[in-house]
Amino acid sequence: MTFSRNPFCAFLLLALLFLSLTVILKKWHFGLQENKPFGDAARPDGLTPARDRLLQQLKERQQELELLDITFDNKQGFMDPSFSTNDNINGKLSLDSPVTAKTDIGCEELGGIKAVDFLGSGYTKTVLKAELPQGLFVALKSINHQGTDMRLCMEDFEDSQGCNELVSFKLRKEIVLLQRLQHPNIVELKGQCQDSALFGGITAVLEQGMPLQMIQLLQSPWEERFRVCLGLVQLLQYLSHSPLGSVALLDFQPRQFVMVSGELKLTDLDDASIQEAACQEDSDCLLQFPLRNFTLRCSPSRTCEGLNEMRNLYNAYRYFFTYLLPHQAPQQLKPLIHQIMNSTGDLKQSINETTVAFEEVLHMYKSGLHLENLPPSITRDYAVLKGMRSVANMEYRCWPSYKQQGCVLSVHGAREAALICSSHPQCTSFSLSSEKTWTGRLLASFRSGFSHLVPDVNSAVYMRRVKASGAVL
């Protein structure tokens, strides 16, 4: 029997040949997949290269926290200690370990929030303003699940749980630093909560402040601008000698600060570094800025000692001192202010020496020593009415004033107020009350006229004398 005479046999033979070729092709195809040297194919341990990279980044973040002397355990810590062993084998990520903060506000208190306002957001975090049941306003800082960091992580790893853990490390680090670094110019950590049902993960409860607005600050009285710079210098001195060593603010920008009752406070610490750069020679200790470069010495211990301090100080000079210190400074204090500007702009002095210079300016300003050359007779051109207050005033504006619709300035006493009034053509009188600024100086109100006077034991009115010709002296 031949195949040409039996069509069924020919069909059977062709079917067997097709089946054999299919099996051979499948074996060849899967053989290539098993030996594929790249891509996201699973390894024998069950981890894909993408998951392996994610786990490696998580370990690096954990090591960064360990530099801060954090103790990890199953109940208190930022990661389950089993992560370093079991997770290498199974590729599992633990999100269940809470951050323990020695503060009063926790998840229970946050559950009773009355109202929440949006304050701002960045690459990593979102900040909300909340009113707690006891009437306390706080800032709630949590992970921005729509932020740039989360989006880039998801593009790289496509792992929502792992990315949430990775992005959370910045906020976890910030909580640790806020626990360890306590200073009047650092926002206070009031509590923390890790509850996905409330804010989608870990939340830091912070002292509530207002974002720093440089334009508004530039329009404020010099005394308030000096207060901001003084607080910044005191903060940098503390960071230079902190319990963690010398701390550098790598992302030094005005947006990292808030204002709380007139005080400047650092609120963003996730980019802080506690390590001085290693070096072999002086050229390794290079500080680079857009307009200036500085080279420090490499110490015998092969570290760039003082690099963190000088980085912070020069950033303070270029972001704050340049704009806030010289303008409208009292004439008698300008030589000291110029010395501060020159020494910080060229990094000629340490933060300790800079702090001493600021304190000297403060002492002279508070004590009135810079006004010693004012003659006592300057007040003779004014009639004083103690225990009286003017009403129905005719206000005029001056800059910079503590009152937007009038002219209210800080003075050391009546002599300085008389000097100011005499320099304003429209000023005919001024009042001194018991109200004082943060330095203890008095607030003086200047005006071009008023309707009448009323008794007030806490006030005194000074009126410019009129010449016989009717002109104001």
Side-chain angles (χ1 to χ4, degrees):
M1 183 176 65
T2 63
F3 291 110
S4 61
R5 294 178 182 177
N6 194 328
F8 177 76
C9 291
F11 175 77
L12 183 61
L13 179 60
L14 289 173
L16 291 171
L17 287 172
F18 178 77
L19 181 61
S20 299
L21 287 172
T22 301
V23 172
I24 292 171
L25 287 173
K26 284 186 176 181
K27 287 184 176 180
W28 175 78
H29 174 74
F30 285 111
L32 283 181
Q33 290 283 50
E34 290 170 1
N35 297 312
K36 188 176 180 179
F38 53 85
D40 284 344
R43 301 187 327 209
D45 57 9
L47 291 178
T48 64
R51 176 56 66 88
D52 194 38
R53 293 196 305 272
L54 177 58
L55 294 178
Q56 182 60 37
Q57 290 193 30
L58 286 168
K59 287 184 180 178
E60 291 172 358
R61 300 298 186 277
Q62 181 178 357
Q63 291 171 357
E64 185 178 356
L65 290 174
E66 288 172 346
L67 289 175
L68 304 176
D69 266 335
I70 302 303
T71 302
F72 295 85
D73 56 46
N74 286 320
K75 295 182 180 179
Q76 296 181 346
F78 293 88
M79 289 194 69
D80 191 323
S82 63
F83 174 83
S84 61
T85 55
N86 297 341
D87 288 354
N88 278 338
I89 299 174
N90 302 323
K92 297 179 180 178
L93 303 172
S94 173
L95 296 170
D96 298 329
S97 300
V99 183
T100 300
K102 295 180 179 179
T103 43
D104 297 327
I105 301 175
C107 297
E108 183 178 352
E109 288 77 12
L110 294 183
I113 288 179
K114 294 181 180 179
V116 175
D117 292 327
F118 177 79
L119 293 180
S121 63
Y123 284 7
T124 309
K125 294 163 288 188
T126 294
V127 184
L128 303 175
K129 177 182 177 181
E131 183 182 4
L132 299 179
Q134 58 269 42
L136 176 68
F137 285 97
V138 294
L140 304 180
K141 189 177 290 189
S142 57
I143 297 304
N144 183 1
H145 295 280
Q146 309 301 322
T148 301
D149 284 354
M150 183 66 76
R151 177 176 56 81
L152 294 177
C153 183
M154 288 298 296
E155 289 176 359
D156 289 341
F157 304 117
E158 298 181 349
D159 186 326
S160 58
Q161 186 182 22
C163 286
N164 187 74
E165 180 74 11
L166 184 63
V167 175
S168 295
F169 263 99
K170 280 194 172 183
L171 184 52
R172 296 172 184 272
K173 175 185 175 182
E174 190 164 273
I175 291 176
V176 174
L177 288 171
L178 288 172
Q179 289 174 325
R180 299 294 300 276
L181 302 175
Q182 298 182 15
H183 186 268
N185 295 104
I186 299 178
V187 292
E188 180 186 354
L189 177 67
K190 293 183 174 295
Q192 64 83 30
C193 171
Q194 181 158 319
D195 187 341
S196 58
L198 285 175
F199 299 99
I202 186 170
T203 301
V205 186
L206 306 175
E207 178 182 18
Q208 197 253 321
M210 296 298 296
L212 180 65
Q213 301 290 342
M214 288 297 291
I215 294 180
Q216 293 181 5
L217 198 55
L218 288 169
Q219 298 172 346
S220 64
W222 179 84
E223 184 174 327
E224 301 307 312
R225 287 182 271 129
F226 177 77
R227 182 183 187 182
V228 167
C229 294
L230 175 64
L232 181 58
V233 167
Q234 292 171 338
L235 168 65
L236 298 187
Q237 184 184 40
Y238 170 77
L239 292 179
S240 182
H241 309 284
S242 81
L244 297 173
S246 182
V247 178
L249 303 178
L250 300 182
D251 187 16
F252 198 115
Q253 299 279 347
R255 64 173 178 265
Q256 310 296 337
F257 297 86
V258 296
M259 297 297 295
V260 180
S261 301
E263 286 282 359
L264 181 77
K265 298 204 176 194
L266 177 64
T267 187
D268 206 331
L269 283 164
D270 58 358
D271 288 312
S273 172
I274 61 171
Q275 292 180 296
E276 297 271 27
C279 59
Q280 294 298 322
E281 53 188 22
D282 291 352
S283 60
D284 296 329
C285 301
L286 180 64
L287 271 178
Q288 292 181 300
F289 298 97
L291 300 179
R292 292 288 304 270
N293 292 334
F294 302 92
T295 300
L296 277 66
R297 290 186 178 181
C298 181
S299 71
S301 61
R302 299 306 181 196
T303 59
C304 300
E305 290 184 5
L307 194 72
N308 289 348
E309 176 181 317
M310 291 303 173
R311 181 195 303 277
N312 291 341
L313 186 56
Y314 190 76
N315 277 327
Y317 163 80
R318 68 189 187 112
Y319 284 117
F320 287 87
F321 301 167
T322 298
Y323 303 104
L324 303 180
L325 269 185
H327 310 296
Q328 298 292 321
Q331 189 64 36
Q332 301 86 344
L333 295 178
K334 284 186 175 180
L336 292 177
I337 298 297
H338 289 157
Q339 290 179 18
I340 291 175
M341 296 300 296
N342 291 334
S343 63
T344 54
D346 294 330
L347 291 184
K348 294 178 180 178
Q349 293 186 334
S350 67
I351 186 61
N352 289 342
E353 294 169 317
T354 303
T355 303
V356 170
F358 267 85
E359 289 174 347
E360 182 180 358
V361 172
L362 177 63
H363 172 67
M364 291 192 66
Y365 186 66
K366 290 176 64 175
S367 63
L369 291 174
H370 64 297
L371 302 172
E372 284 185 336
N373 294 329
L374 285 182
S377 60
I378 195 171
T379 58
R380 292 177 183 172
D381 295 333
Y382 292 83
V384 57
L385 299 173
K386 295 184 178 181
M388 303 298 289
R389 172 172 56 86
S390 63
V391 295
N393 299 316
M394 289 179 281
E395 308 281 1
Y396 69 89
R397 295 184 181 183
C398 64
W399 186 86
S401 171
Y402 281 88
K403 184 180 178 182
Q404 187 174 2
Q405 300 300 325
C407 186
V408 179
L409 302 175
S410 162
V411 297
H412 181 260
R415 282 194 303 158
E416 186 178 5
L419 177 66
I420 294 173
C421 186
S422 299
S423 67
H424 292 178
Q426 63 271 58
C427 181
T428 62
S429 66
F430 64 88
S431 297
L432 295 178
S433 68
S434 58
E435 189 176 2
K436 298 181 180 180
T437 67
W438 66 276
T439 60
R441 287 166 55 93
L442 299 173
L443 284 180
S445 299
F446 301 87
R447 64 190 65 86
S448 57
F450 57 86
S451 172
H452 59 279
L453 300 173
V454 295
D456 187 341
V457 295
N458 296 316
S459 175
V461 177
Y462 292 74
M463 296 184 296
R464 293 179 72 174
R465 300 180 187 274
V466 180
K467 293 182 178 180
S469 60
V472 176
L473 291 177

